[in-house]
Amino acid sequence: MPGDYPSVVIYGTGGHAKIVFDILNLKKVPVAGFLSEQEVDKNQHFLSRPVFGTEEKLKLEDKPFDAAVVALGDSEKREKISSIFRTYKIPLFTAVHPQAVISRGVKFSRGCIICGGAFIGPDVTLGESVVINSGAVIEYQCKLGDFSRVSAGAVLCSSVVLKNRVFVGAGATVIDGVKIEEKSIVGAGAVVTGNIKSGQLVKGIPARSYSKPVHF
């Protein structure tokens, strides 16, 4: 029931925000409105909800929301905005699509987004603000670091470790037991068969390192 959930504000007004809005609606979580990365007009709306602007509402003692979801694809921005919410003591809400499959023993940190059709196996650990996109498969005992993201249709086989801010592209596969160090990017469709050092861009079958990525 709606009364069982806090009123949530969504940070972002792009495609990710639309996905999160749909998830919250399906779960009957009340959405108070949106916060934007840009300055907005006084009466601006998005998806029939008010856009409060950037940070001015966070400074109010009587805020029109109790919790927040950071709906941004860029992990660096997600980390920055999450720290702002922490400063203002606003909890991050985890949005899980009702058609996602969540197995026993999954451990969530705050602010995760799990999209429709995703499968998360037993004893998986998800760090802060992890994003699992539609149809992704996270097999048992995987560990995903803070602000990491697994794109649509990607597969992490068992006991894979992603460190903080790792991005796995659409349709990629990471083989059992592989460890990918922080800030690395796995290209779409890649098959990762060995450990990846930090700050690498890997792609291909089998995946090979090509260059250091910029932030994503």
Side-chain angles (χ1 to χ4, degrees):
M1 297 294 293
D4 296 332
Y5 294 105
S7 179
V8 173
V9 69
I10 299 172
Y11 192 101
T13 53
H16 282 272
K18 292 178 180 179
I19 290 170
V20 171
F21 182 77
D22 287 344
I23 292 172
L24 297 182
N25 272 342
L26 287 167
K27 299 281 284 189
K28 301 189 184 305
V29 177
V31 177
F34 295 85
L35 290 168
S36 175
E37 294 182 84
Q38 292 85 32
E39 295 295 331
V40 298
D41 297 331
K42 184 177 180 181
N43 297 316
Q44 184 171 332
H45 281 66
F46 182 73
L47 300 178
S48 301
R49 296 293 194 281
V51 180
F52 298 125
T54 50
E55 291 185 39
E56 65 271 17
K57 288 287 184 182
L58 303 184
K59 301 173 184 177
L60 299 177
E61 297 224 356
D62 187 19
K63 301 177 186 64
F65 46 82
D66 305 306
V69 178
V70 183
L72 301 174
D74 185 306
S75 290
E76 187 174 280
K77 289 182 179 178
R78 223 164 48 247
E79 184 173 10
K80 177 183 176 182
I81 300 305
S82 295
S83 70
I84 291 173
F85 282 120
R86 187 183 295 111
T87 297
Y88 289 103
K89 297 182 169 61
I90 298 170
L92 291 185
F93 187 84
T94 289
V96 180
H97 196 287
Q99 293 181 359
V101 177
I102 310 297
S103 302
R104 292 178 297 172
V106 175
K107 296 178 182 178
F108 290 96
S109 294
R110 64 185 211 141
C112 295
I113 299 170
I114 313 298
C115 297
F119 172 86
I120 302 180
D123 302 321
V124 167
T125 300
L126 303 178
E128 180 174 339
S129 292
V130 167
V131 176
I132 308 296
N133 286 123
S134 303
V137 174
I138 315 297
E139 284 290 357
Y140 64 90
Q141 295 180 343
C142 289
K143 295 182 179 180
L144 280 63
D146 298 342
F147 311 104
S148 57
R149 177 179 164 197
V150 181
S151 297
V155 176
L156 305 187
C157 297
S158 62
S159 302
V160 168
V161 175
L162 307 183
K163 291 294 190 176
N164 296 346
R165 286 176 53 193
V166 170
F167 175 83
V168 179
T173 300
V174 183
I175 298 303
D176 306 68
V178 165
K179 183 176 182 179
I180 301 178
E181 298 291 346
E182 63 183 13
K183 300 182 183 180
S184 290
I185 294 176
V186 176
V191 177
V192 181
T193 59
N195 294 341
I196 305 298
K197 295 179 181 179
S198 63
Q200 299 298 300
L201 167 64
V202 299
K203 54 185 178 178
I205 304 175
R208 293 166 45 199
S209 179
Y210 283 78
S211 64
K212 291 185 177 181
V214 296
H215 72 83
F216 64 96

